[in-house]
Every structure is written in structure tokens, then in C-alpha cells.
Amino acid sequence: QQQVKQSPQSLIVQKGGISIINCAYENTAFDYFPWYQQFPGKGPALLIAIRPDVSEKKEGRFTISFNKSAKQFSLHIMDSQPGDSATYFCAATIDRGSTLGRLYFGRGTQLTVWP
Amino acid sequence: NAGVTQTPKFRVLKTGQSMTLLCAQDMNHEYMYWYRQDPGMGLRLIHYSVGEGTTAKGEVPDGYNVSRLKKQNFLLGLESAAPSQTSVYFCASVVAAWGETQYFGPGTRLLVL
């Protein structure tokens, strides 16, 4: 049972465009939602994260939008660049203090930004 | 700091052979994890450890065993490799349950023929 559902599976965006990746979850106990970025041949690395007490978090060109009532969150990449081409994973975790930091990952989105 | 390192980077096994993957971290992290990554499946948790001498099963533990004899090392063993275990294996660590960032190693590509 997939705890976190991610879409689309792949995304092609023109340079300068906006990339949007969506994730949905069912478990309302999730209280921390990170996004990981993975380049080919590398391990995933934390990109940006949000907690459910805020609806949006922005770091540079990367923004997470969070809709608690809909149990959805999304990653927006503004002014997408070829260097952003990577696989992006959303994830969620429950009450990090008691569940051993376990992350539940979406299946990933392969983003290609054309120059 | 080297962060999280994994050995080997790539390995080819024949069905039935055994091997051990080594994960090492130099950040004094308590929690360590083994994931496998398959196309279209994301990252799935195999086993994890909340401290030296302790291990627990994750989402897909069958066919794997783990040990954490030293805090900095987390070993993943395949006793009798099967083609279904062909995958990329990632190790990760985090300072503790309240740690916000899991740090991932570079991965081990395993091909089982």
C-alpha cells in the first residue's frame, strides 16, 4: 500500500518554465513532508521540507505548497533550469519523535528541463 | 567528513551467491536505514537500526539480513541472491528520530544473474 502517491511519473519542461510535482497522502498523522532530489548515479539529497502548520515554504526557486484539508502537497520549481533535471521524491513521516524517523517515499518524478 | 559511504559501488552476483554490503557514516548518527530503489517504485525500506546492536524490519525485508555491531557501520547481507534482488541499494542515516535530514550514501548497484 503506497502511503504517499506522487505524480506525474515524468515531466518535461522548457527552460524558464514552471515545474510542478504533486503528492497526496492518506495518513493524517504525517507531520513532516520533505522533498528529495536525486541526480543520476547519486543518492537522494534533501531539497526542501515543510510541516503542516504552514501552507507554503519557499527556498530560492523551490516552493512547497501544502493543503492540509486535501492532504496534498506539491513542489513548484520556478524558472526551471537544465541543471534541475533530476528525479524528485516526495516523502512523509509520522511524529518523528516516536517512529524512528522512518520516511515513506513517493515513487518519484523524473524531470527533464530542455534548454 | 566523508558523510555516508557505501561499499562496493557495483557488484554482479550469480543466483544463490551471498554478499554483504557495507554502509559507514562518520557523523555519529544513531539511526541508519537500508533502502532499495527500483524503476518506478521509489525507495523502499528494507531494514533499519535505531542504535548499535539493534535492528528492525522495514517494508521489504525478505531475503535480507542486517547487523549493526558498531554505531558507524550498518551491514546488509544477502544470504542467497535472487534475480529479484537486482536493484540499487542506498544506505541513509539521521542523527536521531527528531533529525530532519536523512543523509544518503551514493548507492550500490547490484546485478543478480
Side-chain angles (χ1 to χ4, degrees), chain A residues 25-91:
Chain A
Y25 63 96
E26 287 297 325
N27 193 334
T28 55
F30 285 142
D31 66 353
Y32 179 69
F33 302 87
W35 284 87
Y36 280 78
Q37 180 187 54
Q38 183 182 29
F39 292 106
K42 304 290 186 183
L46 180 67
L47 180 65
I48 187 173
I50 196 168
R51 301 180 194 283
D53 54 345
V54 296
S55 60
E56 186 175 283
K57 182 173 182 179
K58 185 175 181 179
E59 289 184 2
R61 296 185 293 109
F62 300 90
T63 300
I64 300 178
S65 296
F66 187 84
N67 186 330
K68 190 173 182 179
S69 61
K71 293 184 284 186
Q72 295 175 346
F73 58 110
S74 59
L75 176 69
H76 296 238
I77 306 175
M78 310 301 288
D79 187 26
S80 298
Q81 298 296 313
D84 297 330
S85 297
T87 300
Y88 293 81
F89 294 96
C90 60

Short mmCIF file of all heavy atoms in Angstrom, two decimals, chain A residues 25-91:
data_model
loop_
_atom_site.label_atom_id
_atom_site.label_comp_id
_atom_site.label_asym_id
_atom_site.label_seq_id
_atom_site.Cartn_x
_atom_site.Cartn_y
_atom_site.Cartn_z
N TYR A 25 -1.44 12.10 0.26
CA TYR A 25 -1.27 11.11 1.31
C TYR A 25 -2.61 10.89 1.99
O TYR A 25 -3.53 11.70 1.86
CB TYR A 25 -0.22 11.58 2.33
CG TYR A 25 -0.60 12.85 3.07
CD1 TYR A 25 -1.20 12.80 4.32
CD2 TYR A 25 -0.38 14.10 2.49
CE1 TYR A 25 -1.55 13.96 4.99
CE2 TYR A 25 -0.72 15.26 3.15
CZ TYR A 25 -1.31 15.19 4.39
OH TYR A 25 -1.67 16.33 5.05
N GLU A 26 -2.70 9.79 2.72
CA GLU A 26 -3.95 9.47 3.43
C GLU A 26 -3.81 9.61 4.95
O GLU A 26 -4.75 9.98 5.63
CB GLU A 26 -4.39 8.05 3.08
CG GLU A 26 -4.96 7.91 1.68
CD GLU A 26 -6.23 8.72 1.51
OE1 GLU A 26 -7.01 8.84 2.48
OE2 GLU A 26 -6.45 9.27 0.40
N ASN A 27 -2.62 9.27 5.44
CA ASN A 27 -2.44 9.21 6.88
C ASN A 27 -2.31 10.61 7.49
O ASN A 27 -1.33 11.30 7.27
CB ASN A 27 -1.19 8.38 7.20
CG ASN A 27 -1.10 8.00 8.65
OD1 ASN A 27 -1.63 8.69 9.52
ND2 ASN A 27 -0.43 6.91 8.94
N THR A 28 -3.31 11.04 8.24
CA THR A 28 -3.30 12.38 8.80
C THR A 28 -2.29 12.54 9.94
O THR A 28 -2.08 13.65 10.43
CB THR A 28 -4.70 12.74 9.33
OG1 THR A 28 -5.13 11.75 10.26
CG2 THR A 28 -5.70 12.82 8.18
N ALA A 29 -1.67 11.45 10.34
CA ALA A 29 -0.64 11.53 11.37
C ALA A 29 0.70 12.02 10.81
O ALA A 29 1.59 12.40 11.58
CB ALA A 29 -0.45 10.18 12.04
N PHE A 30 0.86 12.03 9.50
CA PHE A 30 2.10 12.55 8.91
C PHE A 30 2.27 14.00 9.34
O PHE A 30 1.34 14.81 9.25
CB PHE A 30 2.06 12.46 7.39
CG PHE A 30 2.26 11.08 6.84
CD1 PHE A 30 1.56 10.66 5.73
CD2 PHE A 30 3.16 10.21 7.42
CE1 PHE A 30 1.74 9.39 5.20
CE2 PHE A 30 3.36 8.94 6.90
CZ PHE A 30 2.64 8.53 5.79
N ASP A 31 3.48 14.35 9.77
CA ASP A 31 3.66 15.72 10.24
C ASP A 31 4.94 16.38 9.72
O ASP A 31 5.34 17.44 10.20
CB ASP A 31 3.66 15.75 11.77
CG ASP A 31 4.84 15.03 12.38
OD1 ASP A 31 5.60 14.38 11.64
OD2 ASP A 31 4.99 15.11 13.61
N TYR A 32 5.56 15.76 8.73
CA TYR A 32 6.77 16.34 8.16
C TYR A 32 6.87 15.83 6.74
O TYR A 32 6.77 14.62 6.50
CB TYR A 32 7.99 15.93 8.99
CG TYR A 32 9.31 16.44 8.48
CD1 TYR A 32 9.62 17.79 8.54
CD2 TYR A 32 10.27 15.57 7.97
CE1 TYR A 32 10.85 18.26 8.08
CE2 TYR A 32 11.49 16.02 7.53
CZ TYR A 32 11.78 17.37 7.59
OH TYR A 32 12.98 17.83 7.14
N PHE A 33 7.05 16.77 5.79
CA PHE A 33 6.97 16.41 4.37
C PHE A 33 8.20 16.97 3.64
O PHE A 33 8.23 18.12 3.23
CB PHE A 33 5.69 16.98 3.76
CG PHE A 33 4.44 16.50 4.44
CD1 PHE A 33 3.94 17.17 5.56
CD2 PHE A 33 3.77 15.37 4.00
CE1 PHE A 33 2.80 16.73 6.21
CE2 PHE A 33 2.63 14.92 4.64
CZ PHE A 33 2.14 15.60 5.74
N PRO A 34 9.22 16.13 3.47
CA PRO A 34 10.42 16.58 2.74
C PRO A 34 10.36 16.20 1.27
O PRO A 34 9.66 15.27 0.87
CB PRO A 34 11.55 15.81 3.44
CG PRO A 34 10.89 14.53 3.87
CD PRO A 34 9.44 14.86 4.15
N TRP A 35 11.11 16.94 0.48
CA TRP A 35 11.33 16.59 -0.91
C TRP A 35 12.82 16.29 -1.08
O TRP A 35 13.66 17.04 -0.59
CB TRP A 35 10.94 17.74 -1.84
CG TRP A 35 9.47 17.91 -2.01
CD1 TRP A 35 8.63 18.64 -1.23
CD2 TRP A 35 8.67 17.33 -3.05
NE1 TRP A 35 7.34 18.55 -1.70
CE2 TRP A 35 7.33 17.76 -2.82
CE3 TRP A 35 8.92 16.50 -4.14
CZ2 TRP A 35 6.27 17.38 -3.64
CZ3 TRP A 35 7.87 16.14 -4.96
CH2 TRP A 35 6.56 16.58 -4.71
N TYR A 36 13.09 15.21 -1.81
CA TYR A 36 14.47 14.83 -2.09
C TYR A 36 14.73 14.95 -3.59
O TYR A 36 13.86 14.67 -4.41
CB TYR A 36 14.76 13.41 -1.61
CG TYR A 36 15.02 13.31 -0.13
CD1 TYR A 36 13.99 13.34 0.79
CD2 TYR A 36 16.33 13.20 0.35
CE1 TYR A 36 14.23 13.27 2.14
CE2 TYR A 36 16.58 13.13 1.71
CZ TYR A 36 15.53 13.16 2.59
OH TYR A 36 15.78 13.10 3.94
N GLN A 37 15.95 15.33 -3.92
CA GLN A 37 16.39 15.47 -5.31
C GLN A 37 17.50 14.46 -5.54
O GLN A 37 18.41 14.33 -4.73
CB GLN A 37 16.91 16.90 -5.53
CG GLN A 37 17.41 17.20 -6.93
CD GLN A 37 18.06 18.58 -6.97
OE1 GLN A 37 18.96 18.88 -6.20
NE2 GLN A 37 17.60 19.44 -7.87
N GLN A 38 17.41 13.76 -6.65
CA GLN A 38 18.42 12.74 -6.94
C GLN A 38 18.92 12.89 -8.37
O GLN A 38 18.14 12.83 -9.32
CB GLN A 38 17.85 11.33 -6.76
CG GLN A 38 18.87 10.22 -6.97
CD GLN A 38 18.26 8.84 -6.82
OE1 GLN A 38 17.08 8.63 -7.07
NE2 GLN A 38 19.08 7.88 -6.41
N PHE A 39 20.23 13.07 -8.51
CA PHE A 39 20.86 13.12 -9.81
C PHE A 39 21.33 11.71 -10.19
O PHE A 39 21.60 10.89 -9.30
CB PHE A 39 22.03 14.09 -9.82
CG PHE A 39 21.59 15.53 -9.67
CD1 PHE A 39 21.78 16.20 -8.47
CD2 PHE A 39 20.98 16.19 -10.72
CE1 PHE A 39 21.36 17.51 -8.32
CE2 PHE A 39 20.56 17.50 -10.58
CZ PHE A 39 20.74 18.16 -9.38
N PRO A 40 21.43 11.43 -11.49
CA PRO A 40 21.83 10.08 -11.92
C PRO A 40 23.13 9.63 -11.26
O PRO A 40 24.11 10.37 -11.21
CB PRO A 40 22.00 10.24 -13.43
CG PRO A 40 21.07 11.36 -13.80
CD PRO A 40 21.13 12.31 -12.63
N GLY A 41 23.12 8.42 -10.75
CA GLY A 41 24.31 7.85 -10.14
C GLY A 41 24.62 8.36 -8.75
O GLY A 41 25.66 8.02 -8.17
N LYS A 42 23.71 9.15 -8.19
CA LYS A 42 23.92 9.71 -6.85
C LYS A 42 22.80 9.28 -5.92
O LYS A 42 21.74 8.83 -6.34
CB LYS A 42 23.96 11.24 -6.91
CG LYS A 42 25.00 11.81 -7.85
CD LYS A 42 26.40 11.57 -7.35
CE LYS A 42 27.42 12.27 -8.24
NZ LYS A 42 28.81 11.99 -7.78
N GLY A 43 23.05 9.45 -4.61
CA GLY A 43 21.98 9.22 -3.65
C GLY A 43 21.07 10.43 -3.56
O GLY A 43 21.45 11.54 -3.90
N PRO A 44 19.84 10.24 -3.08
CA PRO A 44 18.93 11.38 -2.88
C PRO A 44 19.49 12.35 -1.86
O PRO A 44 20.21 11.96 -0.93
CB PRO A 44 17.65 10.71 -2.36
CG PRO A 44 17.76 9.28 -2.74
CD PRO A 44 19.22 8.96 -2.71
N ALA A 45 19.15 13.61 -2.04
CA ALA A 45 19.58 14.65 -1.11
C ALA A 45 18.38 15.54 -0.79
O ALA A 45 17.58 15.86 -1.67
CB ALA A 45 20.72 15.48 -1.70
N LEU A 46 18.29 15.93 0.49
CA LEU A 46 17.17 16.78 0.91
C LEU A 46 17.19 18.10 0.16
O LEU A 46 18.21 18.78 0.12
CB LEU A 46 17.23 17.03 2.41
CG LEU A 46 16.12 17.89 2.98
CD1 LEU A 46 14.77 17.18 2.87
CD2 LEU A 46 16.40 18.25 4.43
N LEU A 47 16.04 18.47 -0.40
CA LEU A 47 15.92 19.71 -1.17
C LEU A 47 15.21 20.78 -0.34
O LEU A 47 15.69 21.89 -0.17
CB LEU A 47 15.15 19.44 -2.46
CG LEU A 47 14.90 20.60 -3.41
CD1 LEU A 47 16.21 21.11 -3.97
CD2 LEU A 47 13.97 20.16 -4.53
N ILE A 48 14.05 20.44 0.17
CA ILE A 48 13.23 21.38 0.91
C ILE A 48 12.18 20.56 1.66
O ILE A 48 11.85 19.47 1.24
CB ILE A 48 12.56 22.41 -0.04
CG1 ILE A 48 11.83 23.50 0.73
CG2 ILE A 48 11.66 21.72 -1.05
CD1 ILE A 48 11.30 24.63 -0.17
N ALA A 49 11.69 21.10 2.78
CA ALA A 49 10.70 20.36 3.56
C ALA A 49 9.72 21.31 4.19
O ALA A 49 10.01 22.51 4.36
CB ALA A 49 11.40 19.51 4.63
N ILE A 50 8.56 20.78 4.58
CA ILE A 50 7.52 21.60 5.17
C ILE A 50 6.82 20.84 6.28
O ILE A 50 6.77 19.60 6.26
CB ILE A 50 6.50 22.06 4.09
CG1 ILE A 50 5.65 23.23 4.59
CG2 ILE A 50 5.61 20.88 3.65
CD1 ILE A 50 4.83 23.90 3.49
N ARG A 51 6.29 21.58 7.23
CA ARG A 51 5.45 20.99 8.26
C ARG A 51 4.02 21.44 8.02
O ARG A 51 3.79 22.49 7.43
CB ARG A 51 5.93 21.46 9.64
CG ARG A 51 7.36 21.07 9.93
CD ARG A 51 7.80 21.56 11.31
NE ARG A 51 9.24 21.48 11.45
CZ ARG A 51 9.91 20.37 11.67
NH1 ARG A 51 9.25 19.23 11.78
NH2 ARG A 51 11.21 20.36 11.76
N PRO A 52 3.02 20.71 8.53
CA PRO A 52 1.62 21.01 8.20
C PRO A 52 1.06 22.27 8.85
O PRO A 52 -0.09 22.62 8.58
CB PRO A 52 0.88 19.76 8.68
CG PRO A 52 1.76 19.13 9.67
CD PRO A 52 3.16 19.45 9.26
N ASP A 53 1.85 22.97 9.66
CA ASP A 53 1.33 24.18 10.27
C ASP A 53 1.49 25.40 9.38
O ASP A 53 1.04 26.49 9.72
CB ASP A 53 1.99 24.43 11.64
CG ASP A 53 3.50 24.43 11.56
OD1 ASP A 53 4.05 23.97 10.53
OD2 ASP A 53 4.15 24.90 12.51
N VAL A 54 2.14 25.22 8.22
CA VAL A 54 2.25 26.32 7.26
C VAL A 54 1.74 25.83 5.90
O VAL A 54 1.77 24.63 5.61
CB VAL A 54 3.70 26.84 7.12
CG1 VAL A 54 4.17 27.44 8.42
CG2 VAL A 54 4.62 25.72 6.66
N SER A 55 1.29 26.75 5.08
CA SER A 55 0.71 26.36 3.79
C SER A 55 1.72 26.48 2.64
O SER A 55 1.49 25.96 1.56
CB SER A 55 -0.51 27.22 3.47
OG SER A 55 -0.14 28.59 3.43
N GLU A 56 2.81 27.17 2.90
CA GLU A 56 3.79 27.35 1.84
C GLU A 56 5.17 27.60 2.44
O GLU A 56 5.32 28.23 3.48
CB GLU A 56 3.39 28.54 0.97
CG GLU A 56 4.26 28.75 -0.26
CD GLU A 56 3.74 29.86 -1.14
OE1 GLU A 56 2.76 29.65 -1.87
OE2 GLU A 56 4.32 30.97 -1.09
N LYS A 57 6.17 27.07 1.73
CA LYS A 57 7.55 27.33 2.13
C LYS A 57 8.36 27.53 0.86
O LYS A 57 8.26 26.74 -0.08
CB LYS A 57 8.13 26.18 2.94
CG LYS A 57 9.56 26.46 3.41
CD LYS A 57 10.05 25.39 4.35
CE LYS A 57 11.45 25.71 4.84
NZ LYS A 57 11.93 24.67 5.78
N LYS A 58 9.15 28.59 0.86
CA LYS A 58 9.91 28.93 -0.34
C LYS A 58 11.39 29.00 -0.01
O LYS A 58 11.79 29.59 0.99
CB LYS A 58 9.43 30.29 -0.87
CG LYS A 58 10.07 30.71 -2.18
CD LYS A 58 9.45 32.00 -2.68
CE LYS A 58 10.06 32.41 -4.01
NZ LYS A 58 9.46 33.66 -4.53
N GLU A 59 12.18 28.40 -0.87
CA GLU A 59 13.64 28.49 -0.77
C GLU A 59 14.19 28.68 -2.16
O GLU A 59 14.26 27.75 -2.96
CB GLU A 59 14.23 27.23 -0.12
CG GLU A 59 13.93 27.10 1.35
CD GLU A 59 14.61 25.90 2.01
OE1 GLU A 59 15.36 25.17 1.33
OE2 GLU A 59 14.38 25.68 3.22
N GLY A 60 14.53 29.93 -2.46
CA GLY A 60 15.03 30.24 -3.79
C GLY A 60 13.96 30.00 -4.84
O GLY A 60 12.85 30.51 -4.74
N ARG A 61 14.28 29.18 -5.83
CA ARG A 61 13.30 28.90 -6.89
C ARG A 61 12.36 27.75 -6.54
O ARG A 61 11.48 27.42 -7.31
CB ARG A 61 14.07 28.55 -8.18
CG ARG A 61 14.91 29.71 -8.72
CD ARG A 61 15.55 29.35 -10.06
NE ARG A 61 16.56 28.30 -9.92
CZ ARG A 61 16.41 27.06 -10.36
NH1 ARG A 61 15.28 26.69 -10.95
NH2 ARG A 61 17.38 26.18 -10.21
N PHE A 62 12.55 27.14 -5.39
CA PHE A 62 11.77 25.98 -4.99
C PHE A 62 10.73 26.36 -3.94
O PHE A 62 11.06 27.00 -2.94
CB PHE A 62 12.69 24.88 -4.44
CG PHE A 62 13.70 24.40 -5.43
CD1 PHE A 62 14.95 25.00 -5.52
CD2 PHE A 62 13.41 23.35 -6.29
CE1 PHE A 62 15.90 24.56 -6.44
CE2 PHE A 62 14.35 22.91 -7.22
CZ PHE A 62 15.59 23.52 -7.30
N THR A 63 9.49 25.96 -4.18
CA THR A 63 8.39 26.25 -3.26
C THR A 63 7.58 24.99 -3.02
O THR A 63 7.27 24.26 -3.96
CB THR A 63 7.47 27.33 -3.82
OG1 THR A 63 8.22 28.54 -4.04
CG2 THR A 63 6.32 27.63 -2.86
N ILE A 64 7.26 24.74 -1.75
CA ILE A 64 6.31 23.68 -1.42
C ILE A 64 4.99 24.35 -1.07
O ILE A 64 4.95 25.26 -0.24
CB ILE A 64 6.77 22.84 -0.21
CG1 ILE A 64 8.10 22.17 -0.46
CG2 ILE A 64 5.71 21.76 0.09
CD1 ILE A 64 8.60 21.36 0.75
N SER A 65 3.92 23.87 -1.68
CA SER A 65 2.58 24.28 -1.30
C SER A 65 1.92 23.12 -0.59
O SER A 65 2.01 21.97 -1.05
CB SER A 65 1.76 24.66 -2.53
OG SER A 65 2.34 25.78 -3.16
N PHE A 66 1.27 23.42 0.53
CA PHE A 66 0.70 22.35 1.36
C PHE A 66 -0.77 22.63 1.61
O PHE A 66 -1.14 23.71 2.04
CB PHE A 66 1.47 22.26 2.68
CG PHE A 66 1.08 21.09 3.53
CD1 PHE A 66 1.64 19.85 3.32
CD2 PHE A 66 0.13 21.22 4.53
CE1 PHE A 66 1.28 18.75 4.09
CE2 PHE A 66 -0.25 20.15 5.30
CZ PHE A 66 0.34 18.91 5.08
N ASN A 67 -1.60 21.64 1.32
CA ASN A 67 -3.05 21.76 1.55
C ASN A 67 -3.46 20.66 2.52
O ASN A 67 -3.66 19.51 2.13
CB ASN A 67 -3.80 21.62 0.22
CG ASN A 67 -5.28 21.88 0.37
OD1 ASN A 67 -5.88 21.64 1.43
ND2 ASN A 67 -5.90 22.38 -0.67
N LYS A 68 -3.56 21.03 3.78
CA LYS A 68 -3.81 20.03 4.82
C LYS A 68 -5.18 19.38 4.65
O LYS A 68 -5.33 18.17 4.82
CB LYS A 68 -3.71 20.69 6.20
CG LYS A 68 -3.71 19.73 7.36
CD LYS A 68 -3.43 20.46 8.65
CE LYS A 68 -3.39 19.49 9.83
NZ LYS A 68 -3.08 20.19 11.11
N SER A 69 -6.19 20.17 4.33
CA SER A 69 -7.55 19.61 4.23
C SER A 69 -7.66 18.62 3.08
O SER A 69 -8.38 17.62 3.16
CB SER A 69 -8.57 20.74 4.06
OG SER A 69 -8.31 21.48 2.88
N ALA A 70 -6.94 18.89 2.01
CA ALA A 70 -6.97 17.99 0.85
C ALA A 70 -5.95 16.87 0.97
O ALA A 70 -5.93 15.96 0.14
CB ALA A 70 -6.73 18.78 -0.43
N LYS A 71 -5.08 16.96 1.96
CA LYS A 71 -3.98 16.00 2.15
C LYS A 71 -3.13 15.91 0.89
O LYS A 71 -2.86 14.80 0.37
CB LYS A 71 -4.53 14.64 2.58
CG LYS A 71 -5.15 14.69 3.98
CD LYS A 71 -5.62 13.33 4.47
CE LYS A 71 -6.90 12.94 3.79
NZ LYS A 71 -7.47 11.69 4.33
N GLN A 72 -2.73 17.08 0.43
CA GLN A 72 -1.90 17.15 -0.76
C GLN A 72 -0.79 18.17 -0.55
O GLN A 72 -0.96 19.15 0.19
CB GLN A 72 -2.74 17.55 -1.98
CG GLN A 72 -3.80 16.54 -2.37
CD GLN A 72 -4.68 17.02 -3.49
OE1 GLN A 72 -4.70 18.21 -3.84
NE2 GLN A 72 -5.44 16.12 -4.09
N PHE A 73 0.32 17.93 -1.20
CA PHE A 73 1.39 18.92 -1.20
C PHE A 73 2.12 18.83 -2.54
O PHE A 73 2.10 17.78 -3.21
CB PHE A 73 2.35 18.75 -0.02
CG PHE A 73 3.02 17.41 0.09
CD1 PHE A 73 4.38 17.28 -0.16
CD2 PHE A 73 2.33 16.27 0.48
CE1 PHE A 73 5.03 16.07 -0.03
CE2 PHE A 73 2.96 15.05 0.61
CZ PHE A 73 4.32 14.94 0.35
N SER A 74 2.69 19.93 -2.93
CA SER A 74 3.31 19.97 -4.24
C SER A 74 4.61 20.77 -4.21
O SER A 74 4.80 21.64 -3.36
CB SER A 74 2.36 20.57 -5.27
OG SER A 74 1.98 21.87 -4.89
N LEU A 75 5.47 20.43 -5.15
CA LEU A 75 6.73 21.14 -5.33
C LEU A 75 6.64 21.95 -6.62
O LEU A 75 6.28 21.41 -7.66
CB LEU A 75 7.89 20.15 -5.42
CG LEU A 75 9.27 20.74 -5.72
CD1 LEU A 75 9.76 21.55 -4.51
CD2 LEU A 75 10.27 19.65 -6.06
N HIS A 76 6.96 23.23 -6.51
CA HIS A 76 6.99 24.11 -7.66
C HIS A 76 8.43 24.56 -7.88
O HIS A 76 9.07 25.05 -6.93
CB HIS A 76 6.12 25.34 -7.44
CG HIS A 76 4.66 25.02 -7.30
ND1 HIS A 76 3.68 25.54 -8.12
CD2 HIS A 76 4.01 24.21 -6.43
CE1 HIS A 76 2.51 25.08 -7.76
NE2 HIS A 76 2.67 24.27 -6.74
N ILE A 77 8.92 24.39 -9.08
CA ILE A 77 10.26 24.89 -9.43
C ILE A 77 10.07 26.01 -10.43
O ILE A 77 9.64 25.79 -11.57
CB ILE A 77 11.14 23.78 -10.03
CG1 ILE A 77 11.18 22.57 -9.08
CG2 ILE A 77 12.55 24.31 -10.28
CD1 ILE A 77 11.93 21.37 -9.65
N MET A 78 10.35 27.21 -9.98
CA MET A 78 10.21 28.39 -10.85
C MET A 78 11.46 28.54 -11.71
O MET A 78 12.56 28.13 -11.31
CB MET A 78 10.02 29.63 -9.99
CG MET A 78 8.94 29.51 -8.92
SD MET A 78 7.32 29.14 -9.61
CE MET A 78 6.96 30.73 -10.33
N ASP A 79 11.27 29.15 -12.89
CA ASP A 79 12.41 29.40 -13.78
C ASP A 79 13.27 28.14 -13.90
O ASP A 79 14.49 28.16 -13.64
CB ASP A 79 13.23 30.57 -13.25
CG ASP A 79 14.33 31.00 -14.18
OD1 ASP A 79 14.20 30.77 -15.40
OD2 ASP A 79 15.35 31.55 -13.69
N SER A 80 12.67 27.03 -14.27
CA SER A 80 13.37 25.75 -14.33
C SER A 80 14.60 25.83 -15.23
O SER A 80 14.58 26.46 -16.30
CB SER A 80 12.43 24.66 -14.84
OG SER A 80 11.33 24.51 -13.96
N GLN A 81 15.68 25.19 -14.77
CA GLN A 81 16.94 25.21 -15.48
C GLN A 81 17.37 23.78 -15.85
O GLN A 81 16.99 22.83 -15.17
CB GLN A 81 18.03 25.85 -14.61
CG GLN A 81 17.74 27.29 -14.24
CD GLN A 81 17.70 28.20 -15.46
OE1 GLN A 81 18.59 28.15 -16.32
NE2 GLN A 81 16.67 29.02 -15.55
N PRO A 82 18.18 23.63 -16.90
CA PRO A 82 18.65 22.28 -17.26
C PRO A 82 19.32 21.57 -16.09
O PRO A 82 19.23 20.35 -15.97
CB PRO A 82 19.63 22.56 -18.40
CG PRO A 82 19.10 23.80 -19.05
CD PRO A 82 18.57 24.64 -17.91
N GLY A 83 19.98 22.32 -15.23
CA GLY A 83 20.62 21.73 -14.05
C GLY A 83 19.64 21.19 -13.03
O GLY A 83 20.05 20.47 -12.10
N ASP A 84 18.35 21.50 -13.19
CA ASP A 84 17.32 20.95 -12.30
C ASP A 84 16.88 19.56 -12.74
O ASP A 84 16.12 18.89 -12.03
CB ASP A 84 16.09 21.86 -12.28
CG ASP A 84 16.37 23.24 -11.72
OD1 ASP A 84 17.27 23.37 -10.87
OD2 ASP A 84 15.70 24.20 -12.16
N SER A 85 17.33 19.14 -13.92
CA SER A 85 16.96 17.82 -14.43
C SER A 85 17.45 16.76 -13.46
O SER A 85 18.66 16.61 -13.23
CB SER A 85 17.55 17.59 -15.82
OG SER A 85 17.03 18.52 -16.75
N ALA A 86 16.51 16.02 -12.89
CA ALA A 86 16.82 15.05 -11.85
C ALA A 86 15.53 14.29 -11.54
O ALA A 86 14.47 14.58 -12.11
CB ALA A 86 17.33 15.75 -10.59
N THR A 87 15.63 13.34 -10.62
CA THR A 87 14.44 12.68 -10.12
C THR A 87 14.10 13.28 -8.77
O THR A 87 14.99 13.45 -7.92
CB THR A 87 14.67 11.16 -9.99
OG1 THR A 87 14.99 10.63 -11.28
CG2 THR A 87 13.41 10.47 -9.47
N TYR A 88 12.83 13.59 -8.59
CA TYR A 88 12.37 14.21 -7.35
C TYR A 88 11.43 13.25 -6.62
O TYR A 88 10.54 12.66 -7.22
CB TYR A 88 11.65 15.53 -7.66
CG TYR A 88 12.59 16.56 -8.20
CD1 TYR A 88 12.95 16.57 -9.54
CD2 TYR A 88 13.15 17.52 -7.36
CE1 TYR A 88 13.85 17.50 -10.04
CE2 TYR A 88 14.04 18.47 -7.86
CZ TYR A 88 14.38 18.45 -9.19
OH TYR A 88 15.28 19.37 -9.69
N PHE A 89 11.67 13.11 -5.33
CA PHE A 89 10.84 12.26 -4.49
C PHE A 89 10.19 13.09 -3.40
O PHE A 89 10.87 13.85 -2.70
CB PHE A 89 11.68 11.17 -3.81
CG PHE A 89 12.28 10.17 -4.74
CD1 PHE A 89 13.58 10.32 -5.21
CD2 PHE A 89 11.55 9.06 -5.16
CE1 PHE A 89 14.14 9.38 -6.06
CE2 PHE A 89 12.10 8.12 -6.01
CZ PHE A 89 13.40 8.28 -6.47
N CYS A 90 8.89 12.94 -3.25
CA CYS A 90 8.26 13.48 -2.06
C CYS A 90 8.27 12.38 -1.00
O CYS A 90 8.40 11.20 -1.31
CB CYS A 90 6.85 13.96 -2.34
SG CYS A 90 5.70 12.68 -2.92
N ALA A 91 8.13 12.80 0.24
CA ALA A 91 8.14 11.83 1.33
C ALA A 91 7.32 12.39 2.49
O ALA A 91 6.97 13.57 2.50
CB ALA A 91 9.57 11.52 1.78
#
